[in-house]
């Protein structure tokens, strides 16, 4: 536990999570990673006067799963004395993931959900005036994302991967205090510390293309211990820096985008032609 805390403290320092008098938002889903990130950030921010922590949650509208996690998050935030804000896809997009999942669609449920969730969480952090947006991404998640971006030749997404060290208008810089902690260590830490978290998985998680990359990264780690660290280190060394100042904007909604139309707008127009 001490070793985990030490490495998280080092990441917090290296990523300048608490710089000056600032508001830091923490994206919390109720899983072990985000609940651990929130708990540790709360503990380490307590020593820093002027730092305000706000937990933000996107409610995707997944019955029997998200509703249970919202109770766990609300209770934990109350016990930590952290403000909690939650907004649903129903409010922001006008549909729930359950309705979208039941419709005939071109993509996996996660392909829509991940984009709209990132968008919503960023909007909530912007509204809160946050200088940083912390996520609970652990070492395994980060290595999987790198491999996914490589397999898809998605260099723009690779360049947008956190942690971000500079500000782009309309995008709250993301920080990842757990990015050097393997997933099994986060789980063990959460259990030993008594951090509450949701143990069940999303009913749509089987569809996620990430599952393939989870298997690949675990297999690599088994055969070549240390692979996860090497993958993340390589991505850090090669990834292009975020563009300075004004980033490209979506011609439809005006949000930061790597193309002329952002991913959310592309998906929204697809969904517009579906009956949900
Ligand atoms: Fe959304 Fe997929 Fe995650 Fe479920 S598993 S919450 S559908 S991204």
């Amino acid at each position: 536990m001490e070793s985990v805390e030490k490495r998280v403290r080092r990441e917090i320092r290296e990523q300048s999570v608490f710089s000056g008098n600032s508001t830091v938002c923490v994206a919390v889903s109720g899983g072990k990673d985000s609940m651990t990130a929130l708990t540790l950030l709360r503990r380490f921010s307590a020593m820093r006067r002027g730092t305000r922590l706000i937990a933000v949650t996107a409610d995707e509208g997944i019955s029997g799963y998200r509703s249970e996690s919202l109770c766990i998050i609300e209770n934990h935030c109350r016990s930590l004395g952290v403000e909690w804000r939650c907004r649903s896809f129903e409010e922001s997009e006008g549909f729930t993931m359950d309705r979208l999942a039941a419709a005939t669609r071109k993509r996996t449920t996660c392909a829509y959900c991940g984009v709209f969730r990132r968008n919503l969480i960023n909007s909530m952090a912007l509204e809160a005036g946050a200088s940083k947006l912390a996520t609970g991404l652990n070492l395994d998640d980060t290595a999987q994302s790198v491999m996914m971006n490589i397999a898809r030749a998605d260099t723009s997404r690779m360049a947008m991967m956190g942690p971000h060290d500079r500000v782009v208008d309309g995008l709250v810089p993301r920080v990842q205090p757990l990015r050097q902690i393997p997933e099994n260590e986060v789980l063990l830490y959460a259990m030993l510390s008594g951090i509450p978290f949701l143990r069940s998985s999303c009913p749509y998680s089987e569809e996620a293309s990430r599952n393939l990359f989870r298997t690949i990264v675990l297999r690599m780690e088994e055969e070549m211990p240390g692979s996860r660290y090497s993958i993340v280190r390589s991505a850090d060394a090669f990834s292009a820096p975020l563009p300075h100042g004004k980033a490209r904007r979506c011609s439809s909604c005006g949000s930061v985008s790597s193309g002329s139309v952002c991913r959310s707008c592309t998906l929204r127009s697809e969904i517009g032609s579906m009956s949900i």
Side-chain angles (χ1 to χ4, degrees), residues 147 211-221:
M147 298 297 279
N211 292 333
L212 169 64
F213 294 92
R214 178 172 292 119
T215 310
I216 291 170
V217 168
L218 281 176
R219 184 78 209 286
M220 286 177 75
E221 185 66 34

Side-chain angles (χ1 to χ4, degrees), residues 60 62 65 109-110 113-114 117 202 204-205:
E60 303 92 342
I62 301 172
Y65 166 70
T109 312
C110 303
C113 183
R117 191 182 41 220
C202 170
Y204 308 119
S205 60

